[in-house]
Amino acid sequence: QVQVKKKKPAASAPPPPPRENPDVWLKSVSLEVSGVSLEPMKGTEVVNKIRLATDDVVTRYLPCVDFLVACQQELRAGLAAATRKRVVRGAYRDSLTPRQFYNQYLQPLPDRFICKNQSLMGQTHLRPAVQEIQKLCGDARKVEYQGCEAMKNVFLGGMKEGVSWGLRKWLSKNGGALTICNDLECILASVQKMDRSQENTKKMGERLRPMAKQAFDRLKKDVPASYQEQSTAHPYLPFFHRLECALRGVSNFDPDDDDVICIDDEDEIEEVKSSAAIKKEVASAENKRQADANSNQDRTSKRSKMNHDNNGTNGEIEIFDFDEDENQEQAATAPKDTVANEDTTKIELKCARCTMTNPAGSSRCCMCDQDFSSSENYEVQEIDGSDHFNIADVTFDDASTALGGTGNDDWEPPRNSNSQSEASANNDESGNDMARHLESLAYMFDSNKQDQIL
């Protein structure tokens, strides 16, 4: 008998230790995102929400944008081909009828969208989008009697009074850009409120930045450059610039670098530049004013020194001038007619005809042109400089009082006691005298001799 030895089963290897979940810390993070959820969201929910939003950019928004761009280009080229004239039985006609234009360019669009995006978009989003395209084709078919251009305009649509319609409205509704922008903006605002010094905040930024950066690069790459231009009158793509700013904000979120401010709008850049320039001008003006004030204060303290002598009599204040040379130089360079001592006596000539005072040495009266060659035509007066008449110090009340009023009442010109006939007879002579006097005054003002009238 052959004995068969049974082999002992080999000892089983010990099971590997369970791997540690690197995202355990997300469960300890709690954020209040009121625009997304009424209850506080855990860190895992925040990360999943950002992942779904960035995935929708690639699976929903970009396919709809691609369809819109293709339809605009193909329908415009098709309209140009359909309206190209040809001779039919001696008459010029369009190359395609509206029915042919619809069958060739509009009718295949729903099936084309399904074939291209059925493997990319989910059925929950693909089916409503196709139904909306079929509805737009039906609306274009209703205006077939108006021609090819009317059918193209109804299908593509646009914006009127701030409201989108046609294929543009279809993109806003089925592209999901509004929901994506809302989620990204609300989560970014909540994440920015976290304490930047904590380690969880830095880890959250490291998890969110790659997802947003990938979606942002794909958005800038797949959308044509001509459709990325911003136009306030008629923007090409709905929510494009808002979505771009939201993705850029999440992709640039870094708790360690909080001193960088990204400004995308050119108007905001110009506003910041203008405000900075205004602040700079205000600061320079303030510095200049302060410097002038300091220099004036230093000059005043240098020129005059107030010495309160406690041992003197009656506490007199003595002023010592240390800049005598400077004062003498200023007095030498100043105009002669402006350097005058208030205590000196002035000699003036009073006209015998109009009683106007003239400076000494005048050959004629500055008012009535009276010749002063004879001493009978003027009277010499000595006037104290301190009591000299200055027209700049005379107010309206003083003038009214001088003319016989009370100073507060309305002044009325004195009535002429002469008869109407005498006034008419002397009208020409008085007019000539007044014209001659005004010419004399104008000449003296032009010659910078206004002080001679005072």
Side-chain angles (χ1 to χ4, degrees), residues 91-311:
Y92 287 96
R93 299 183 181 276
D94 294 338
S95 300
L96 297 177
T97 62
R99 177 65 58 86
Q100 293 173 340
F101 177 80
Y102 174 81
N103 294 333
Q104 184 174 349
Y105 292 101
L106 293 175
Q107 189 176 7
L109 292 179
D111 296 336
R112 187 186 304 175
F113 184 80
I114 294 175
C115 295
K116 188 174 182 178
N117 300 306
Q118 62 181 354
S119 61
L120 184 62
M121 297 181 64
Q123 293 297 323
T124 56
H125 301 144
L126 181 62
R127 190 178 297 108
V130 174
Q131 293 176 357
E132 291 290 335
I133 296 174
Q134 293 174 350
K135 185 178 179 181
L136 290 175
C137 293
D139 295 340
R141 184 71 178 271
K142 294 179 182 179
V143 295
E144 180 181 344
Y145 66 94
Q146 296 182 7
C148 300
E149 186 175 2
M151 298 172 67
K152 187 263 298 183
N153 294 335
V154 170
F155 183 83
L156 294 180
M159 177 179 286
K160 184 177 181 181
E161 297 179 356
V163 179
S164 300
W165 56 284
L167 197 62
R168 179 183 173 83
K169 184 178 181 180
W170 171 86
L171 173 60
S172 302
K173 182 178 180 181
N174 296 276
L178 179 60
T179 304
I180 298 173
C181 293
N182 182 67
D183 294 345
L184 292 176
E185 291 170 354
C186 293
I187 292 176
L188 178 61
S190 300
V191 171
Q192 288 178 343
K193 295 179 181 179
M194 297 175 63
D195 188 2
R196 295 177 179 267
S197 61
Q198 294 183 359
E199 189 67 22
N200 291 339
T201 306
K202 300 179 181 179
K203 292 182 179 180
M204 181 67 71
E206 293 175 357
R207 291 296 303 272
L208 300 182
R209 283 197 302 270
M211 295 184 291
K213 186 67 167 59
Q214 183 179 4
F216 176 77
D217 295 341
R218 185 69 181 275
L219 178 69
K220 298 291 289 184
K221 178 182 178 181
D222 292 357
V223 177
S226 59
Y227 285 82
Q228 297 182 18
E229 297 177 358
Q230 188 173 7
S231 174
T232 57
H234 184 69
Y236 285 102
L237 298 178
F239 298 103
F240 173 79
H241 297 286
R242 181 180 174 185
L243 180 59
E244 180 186 10
C245 294
L247 290 174
R248 181 185 285 110
V250 178
S251 62
N252 292 334
F253 173 71
D254 188 0
D256 296 332
D257 188 11
D258 56 350
D259 296 332
V260 178
I261 301 176
C262 298
I263 302 176
D264 301 326
D265 194 356
E266 294 182 357
D267 296 336
E268 294 182 3
I269 295 176
E270 295 297 332
E271 183 178 357
V272 171
K273 289 183 179 180
S274 61
S275 62
I278 293 174
K279 291 181 180 179
K280 186 176 180 181
E281 292 179 359
V282 172
S284 62
E286 183 67 19
N287 295 335
K288 184 178 180 181
R289 186 187 64 80
Q290 188 68 21
D292 294 341
N294 295 335
S295 62
N296 294 334
Q297 185 177 1
D298 295 340
R299 189 182 298 112
T300 304
S301 61
K302 182 179 178 182
R303 288 185 176 181
S304 60
K305 177 182 178 182
M306 301 179 65
N307 183 16
H308 296 271
D309 189 2
N310 295 330
N311 298 326

Side-chain angles (χ1 to χ4, degrees), residues 8-21:
K8 295 180 179 181
S12 60
R19 296 180 179 179
E20 295 182 359
N21 186 4

Side-chain angles (χ1 to χ4, degrees), residues 54-88:
T54 53
D55 289 345
D56 286 343
V57 174
V58 180
T59 60
R60 291 186 62 186
Y61 185 74
L62 290 180
C64 293
V65 169
D66 181 68
F67 181 74
L68 173 65
V69 173
C71 288
Q72 287 184 349
Q73 295 177 355
E74 292 180 4
L75 292 182
R76 288 169 182 170
L79 179 63
T83 56
R84 187 179 297 112
K85 301 300 180 180
R86 62 176 181 173
V87 180
V88 178

